[in-house]
Amino acid sequence: YDSYATYDELIPYTNAIERWDIKCIDQLPEYMKPSYKALLDVYEEMEQLMAKHGRQYRVEYAKNAFKHRREDDCSAIECYMEEYGVTAQEAYDVFNKHVESAWKDVNQEFMKPTEMPTEVLNRSLNLARVMDVLYREGDGYTYVGKAAKGGITSLLIEPIAL
């Protein structure tokens, strides 16, 4: 969210995320309210699913992890480039090989029986899919490209009626 908002808009949004309370929604600009509500709804749904299995406490860890990255954090690509003295393209090539291998692992593991509810696994898999679309060709979140725009448009603006 910090790539598209002004500094003045980030203050209440960041505060709302830190408090993690629906009451904070009134402090946000109108265009940010649906995003904040959706964020809270996703975690609430996850908590309900996990509660069925006595594991709702795990959602708190996810919330704390989401509560974002400091400005002085660098990306994995930047860290890799600095540590190994390689170009950005070389670092991307290495990471893409890891991503390809990880997808193979995810697909293999997803086919095995597990105690984890399928609903939770599906959400995790869908999040991985979104990240793959956004970052497959570089930073598609900060610098929105055709793949991200097309996916968002077809999902939210022009959805296929079921």
Side-chain angles (χ1 to χ4, degrees):
Y1 73 93
D2 59 346
S3 298
Y4 299 102
T6 65
Y7 179 75
D8 290 337
E9 292 168 331
L10 291 176
I11 293 172
Y13 200 81
T14 301
N15 289 339
I17 289 174
E18 287 294 323
R19 290 186 52 204
W20 208 274
D21 186 347
I22 192 65
K23 294 174 190 170
C24 298
I25 202 164
D26 294 331
Q27 301 167 5
L28 301 175
E30 285 302 315
Y31 75 94
M32 286 185 169
K33 289 179 180 181
S35 166
Y36 184 69
K37 172 98 171 70
L39 175 67
L40 295 182
D41 288 349
V42 165
Y43 279 82
E44 175 64 27
E45 183 180 352
M46 188 73 69
E47 198 164 32
Q48 291 171 3
L49 289 169
M50 295 301 285
K52 292 177 184 177
H53 301 279
R55 297 185 181 119
Q56 68 272 16
Y57 66 91
R58 294 180 181 182
V59 178
E60 194 63 32
Y61 293 115
K63 286 180 186 178
N64 290 334
F66 186 86
K67 290 178 183 180
H68 275 61
R69 92 180 234 192
R70 300 182 322 243
E71 282 188 33
D72 59 344
D73 289 347
C74 61
S75 71
I77 295 292
E78 292 167 332
C79 289
Y80 191 89
M81 289 170 58
E82 186 173 320
E83 186 171 339
Y84 294 99
V86 298
T87 66
Q89 185 59 54
E90 291 170 319
Y92 275 109
D93 290 344
V94 168
F95 276 74
N96 283 332
K97 287 179 185 173
H98 288 293
V99 168
E100 187 176 324
S101 175
W103 272 117
K104 290 176 184 175
D105 293 342
V106 166
N107 288 326
Q108 261 183 339
E109 291 299 318
F110 199 81
M111 304 310 279
K112 295 179 180 177
T114 179
E115 290 183 23
M116 186 66 64
T118 303
E119 298 92 349
V120 174
L121 292 174
N122 281 334
R123 281 163 180 75
S124 299
L125 180 61
N126 287 338
L127 177 60
R129 289 173 175 154
V130 168
M131 294 299 108
D132 190 56
V133 168
L134 288 177
Y135 294 102
R136 170 65 56 182
E137 301 295 325
D139 186 351
Y141 177 77
T142 305
Y143 309 103
V144 179
K146 290 180 185 178
K149 284 183 182 178
I152 291 169
T153 299
S154 66
L155 179 65
L156 301 175
I157 298 172
E158 300 169 356
I160 298 171
L162 298 177

